[in-house]
Amino acid sequence: LELWHDMLRRRDLGRIDEALAEDRVFLSPIVHTPPSARDLTRLYLTAALAVFNESFQYVKEVVSPQHAVLEFTCEVDGIMVNGVDIMTFDAAGKIVEFKVMVRPLKAINLLHAKMKAMLEQMSAQ
C-alpha cells in the first residue's frame, strides 16, 4: 500500500510490477470481464492515471493487513468523480485483487469514454 501511494504521489507507475501479484484480477466499473493478465492490468491502471489528473486524491482509507479501501475524488472535465479502490493483498503484501467502483452515473459515463480513448491511444503507440 505504501508503494501504491508513492507511485501515485509521483504519478509514475514504473514500479507497478512490484505491487501486483502474478495471479491478480482487476475489476473495473466499466469492463465486464475482469482482466487478469499482468500486462492488461498495468495498461488499465496506467490509462486511469492518465485520465485522472492532478486533482485525484484519496480522501479516506480503511486498511487491514489483507485489505484496503481507499475513497478518492477527482474532477474530470468539470465533473466530480467519487469512487473507491478496493485492494486485496496476498501474504507477501502484493495486490491480488484491485476493484474500482465509481459514482455518480455521469462520472461513469465520462470515464468510460475517456478510458476507451486513452486505451486506444496507448495501444496505437
Side-chain angles (χ1 to χ4, degrees):
L1 185 57
E2 292 171 20
L3 173 59
W4 180 254
H5 281 301
D6 185 55
M7 288 187 301
L8 288 187
R9 255 191 311 279
R10 297 172 189 267
R11 298 195 55 78
D12 177 16
L13 296 182
R15 297 172 54 201
I16 195 159
D17 287 336
E18 294 176 42
L20 297 175
E22 195 66 40
D23 59 340
R24 83 358 236 118
V25 174
F26 178 79
L27 301 164
S28 163
I30 298 162
V31 178
H32 296 282
T33 305
S36 56
R38 175 170 260 182
D39 290 342
L40 198 52
T41 300
R42 184 185 316 111
L43 180 68
Y44 275 63
L45 291 172
T46 302
L49 185 62
V51 168
F52 288 137
N53 53 47
E54 292 79 23
S55 70
F56 180 94
Q57 64 178 335
Y58 286 119
V59 294
K60 289 183 193 171
E61 290 189 13
V62 178
V63 179
S64 74
Q66 290 82 30
H67 304 281
V69 178
L70 310 176
E71 181 182 359
F72 63 84
T73 61
C74 183
E75 185 176 330
V76 179
D77 292 351
I79 295 175
M80 184 55 77
V81 178
N82 177 232
V84 291
D85 290 335
I86 304 170
M87 301 175 196
T88 301
F89 304 99
D90 65 12
K94 294 193 179 244
I95 299 168
V96 292
E97 182 181 271
F98 194 110
K99 182 187 299 184
V100 181
M101 301 180 80
V102 174
R103 62 168 298 279
L105 181 58
K106 185 186 288 190
I108 293 170
N109 292 334
L110 173 67
L111 292 179
H112 180 257
K114 292 263 188 198
M115 285 292 292
K116 180 180 181 204
M118 182 58 65
L119 289 167
E120 287 172 357
Q121 178 184 341
M122 292 172 77
S123 296
Q125 295 176 354

